[in-house]
Amino acid sequence: AVLVCLGATRHSVLKRVGSTASALSESAHCPVALLRGNDKVVRRDGGWIGVGVDRSPQNELLVKRAMEEAGLRRAPLRALTRRQDDAEPDVAVGRDDDDFRSVLVCGSIADYLNEHAHSVKLFVVGADGLGRPDGGGNSVLYDTDCPLLILRGPDDERAGVVEDRQL
């Protein structure tokens, strides 16, 4: 498959994503889109596409795919970098303008996504970022309600963007 697309919500009591979504997210051999959160954000104008930027070997693939997704949806891109205590961010992220903004996140990226859930159209994350992607106590997969596009590696780059989809 080029892409597996799955509707997913967090369990109301356990505050965890369901077992089917969890299993597919962690084991599929292609990109997985988990659609959840506020449908009005996903389908309406406005909102932004996000990607976590760090020193991961997948970083270039994630940023490239996030840029493609932002272009497809005519949405601005936010590159989120987690701040380590009082230190400078691990990586520098290009330019800031109306279409692209780098954001230095204090705390966890999952917390930032939850604080801005009303405006997140899609967050691009690597499979290696599912457990504890930012070293904090929260996980992007398990502790957020925003739509996710989960990429695995070089094979996902070859799969490209599916032009006719609406996430």
Side-chain angles (χ1 to χ4, degrees), residues 60-144:
E60 186 176 338
L61 168 66
L62 297 176
V63 172
K64 179 180 177 186
R65 186 64 178 261
M67 291 173 68
E68 291 170 347
E69 297 293 336
L72 188 69
R73 291 167 182 73
R74 294 181 183 96
L77 176 64
R78 287 189 186 175
L80 309 180
T81 302
R82 185 170 176 267
R83 182 176 178 164
Q84 301 289 332
D85 300 320
D86 292 329
E88 291 298 314
D90 280 344
V91 291
V93 183
R95 69 193 197 297
D96 279 356
D97 58 35
D98 290 340
D99 294 326
F100 182 91
R101 185 165 48 158
S102 58
V103 178
L104 182 59
V105 176
C106 297
S108 78
I109 288 179
D111 287 343
Y112 182 88
L113 292 172
N114 284 328
E115 289 170 24
H116 297 87
H118 63 280
S119 62
V120 180
K121 279 182 133 14
L122 180 70
F123 189 75
V124 179
V125 63
D128 62 349
L130 293 178
R132 297 291 175 220
D134 49 32
N138 294 332
S139 158
V140 172
L141 174 64
Y142 296 107
D143 299 315
T144 65

